[in-house]
Amino acid sequence: MNPPPRARVEAKLIYGTPEFEIVKGGDHVRCAVSGAVIPLDMLNYWSVELQEAYASGALMTQRWVETHK
């Protein structure tokens, strides 16, 4: 018999340079552009200015262009 799947909990973070601080524990955050789930151990892209996470460098660049017109 397999164990039941773990419940996914979204973390709350403060995005800093060069690291982030976990304010509320969890196992993932959501990409501010795509809504994709990003496991914390795979989180590489975020904006300190906007305090949001991104699933890829391309999505981070897209958001920067959108907010700096």
Side-chain angles (χ1 to χ4, degrees):
M1 181 177 230
N2 292 330
R6 270 187 31 204
R8 297 186 68 112
V9 176
E10 188 167 349
K12 299 293 181 199
L13 308 179
I14 295 175
Y15 300 99
T17 304
E19 299 175 349
F20 54 82
E21 177 184 342
I22 299 172
V23 176
K24 178 183 162 216
D27 61 355
H28 71 279
V29 292
R30 292 205 174 263
C31 175
V33 177
S34 69
V37 170
I38 310 165
L40 290 185
D41 62 347
M42 301 295 290
L43 178 58
N44 294 309
Y45 305 100
W46 61 82
S47 169
V48 173
E49 176 185 4
L50 301 175
Q51 288 296 295
E52 54 190 29
Y54 310 105
S56 70
L59 290 170
M60 178 181 71
T61 301
Q62 175 185 332
R63 183 70 165 150
W64 189 91
V65 168
E66 291 170 357
T67 59
H68 288 83
K69 289 183 178 179

